[in-house]
Amino acid sequence: MSENAATPAPLTVMTVNTHKGFTSFNRRFILPELRDAVRQVGADVVFLQEVQGTHEEHGKKYNSWPDLPHYEFLADSIWPQYAYGRNMVYPKGHHGNAVMSKFPIVEYQNHDVSIAGPEKRGLLHCVLRIPGHALDVHVVCVHLGLAESHRQQQLDLLCEIVRTEVPEPAPLIVAGDFNDWRRRAHDVLWREVGLREVFVTAYGEAAKTFPAVFPLLSLDRIYVRNCSVHLPVVLPRRPWAHLSDHAPLAAEIHL
């Protein structure tokens, strides 16, 4: 990456719901194939949702189950920095959100934004130090709830995190699975904390990402503040419709 401050290289990001390493309806364990596909994209920063931390029974059942937590297996030698936010804990294991980065993660915090009930959700906030940039880059990996009332409260909590933890001039990228099929998040995030969605900005509407095999709903998003975006894309149906029930998104961020 160029360290020329006048013309710094863009930062490429992608977001994908890994579905704990399984195909839709948990028919087959495909984490090694998913890792190959993520590597092919080659993003600098990867936002992961529903990534498995550990699962005692699956490790005995599937021959290709890695000894490492899934985020470490996915990061391998490509993304030397990673952070994991454990959200859902159960007797045999846990899963949550993760961020993989080619640049130093100098600080991170996982915020529990679960609302009353069995559904556990979190917001993983990481601070990245990018060579050639005076300001650290803040990123938040998001996985919001299925209930509309829960999402409204979680969006309010996200806005409060941005207000209290992200310096006003700092570049900010918020990405992940918003489950926001009614598209309520755009106005809230723009009005409250100045975040704009990259597909809405570039093409006039959010990208359709779910279900991946024939996307109808705009559940996955990338929002930015204090940076610009070039050519955000929905990653192609082949191979991704086979690897996740959500179509992944990628974008080139200019800081």
Side-chain angles (χ1 to χ4, degrees):
M1 178 175 180
S2 170
E3 294 192 12
N4 183 348
T7 56
L11 184 74
T12 58
V13 303
M14 74 171 290
T15 179
V16 59
N17 185 315
T18 72
H19 201 244
K20 299 186 275 297
F22 288 87
T23 57
S24 298
F25 306 108
N26 298 325
R27 290 191 180 112
R28 196 160 69 85
F29 181 66
I30 43 78
L31 190 71
E33 296 170 60
L34 180 68
R35 180 172 71 171
D36 290 343
V38 172
R39 282 176 168 179
Q40 287 295 316
V41 177
D44 297 309
V45 182
V46 182
F47 297 74
L48 304 170
Q49 305 87 50
E50 285 193 40
V51 62
Q52 192 82 58
T54 187
H55 197 294
E56 295 175 7
E57 292 301 316
H58 288 344
K60 301 172 185 175
K61 184 176 179 182
Y62 299 98
N63 291 332
S64 56
W65 191 270
D67 293 330
L68 298 170
H70 286 192
Y71 53 90
E72 288 191 40
F73 177 79
L74 290 167
D76 193 38
S77 59
I78 309 297
W79 293 274
Q81 299 276 301
Y82 47 80
Y84 171 64
R86 183 172 61 180
N87 297 333
M88 188 69 183
V89 181
Y90 28 86
K92 295 175 183 176
H94 51 80
H95 68 263
N97 297 336
V99 170
M100 307 190 304
S101 173
K102 293 181 180 178
F103 305 108
I105 297 175
V106 296
E107 183 181 345
Y108 74 91
Q109 183 174 358
N110 191 49
H111 294 271
D112 184 355
V113 294
S114 306
I115 310 301
E119 194 179 62
K120 304 302 179 185
R121 301 293 182 183
L123 301 172
L124 178 61
H125 174 202
C126 301
V127 183
L128 311 183
R129 190 146 294 162
I130 313 295
H133 291 277
L135 296 174
D136 290 337
V137 177
H138 290 248
V139 303
V140 183
C141 187
V142 172
H143 193 190
L144 300 188
L146 297 172
E148 173 76 16
S149 61
H150 289 188
R151 289 195 301 275
Q152 290 174 356
Q153 295 176 70
Q154 288 159 350
L155 285 170
D156 289 342
L157 291 168
L158 171 58
C159 291
E160 186 59 25
I161 290 167
V162 170
R163 292 189 195 99
T164 58
E165 297 184 10
V166 182
E168 188 66 34
L172 171 62
I173 307 164
V174 179
D177 177 2
F178 282 73
N179 276 314
D180 179 33
W181 59 275
R182 299 177 114 178
R183 306 186 186 190
R184 300 283 178 83
H186 302 324
D187 290 343
V188 172
L189 295 178
W190 170 249
R191 181 181 69 245
E192 297 296 328
V193 289
L195 281 162
R196 51 198 174 84
E197 210 283 325
V198 301
F199 287 85
V200 173
T201 301
Y203 309 120
E205 63 179 4
K208 292 182 173 64
T209 60
F210 185 86
V213 68
F214 190 78
L216 297 172
L217 301 176
S218 303
L219 303 188
D220 302 86
R221 311 278 175 75
I222 301 172
Y223 293 88
V224 298
R225 188 175 80 180
N226 296 329
C227 46
S228 60
V229 177
H230 181 64
L231 292 179
V233 295
V234 181
L235 296 180
R237 194 169 298 179
R238 291 185 179 180
W240 286 103
H242 162 67
L243 299 174
S244 174
D245 52 350
H246 291 247
L249 306 177
E252 185 179 284
I253 310 289
H254 294 259
L255 301 173

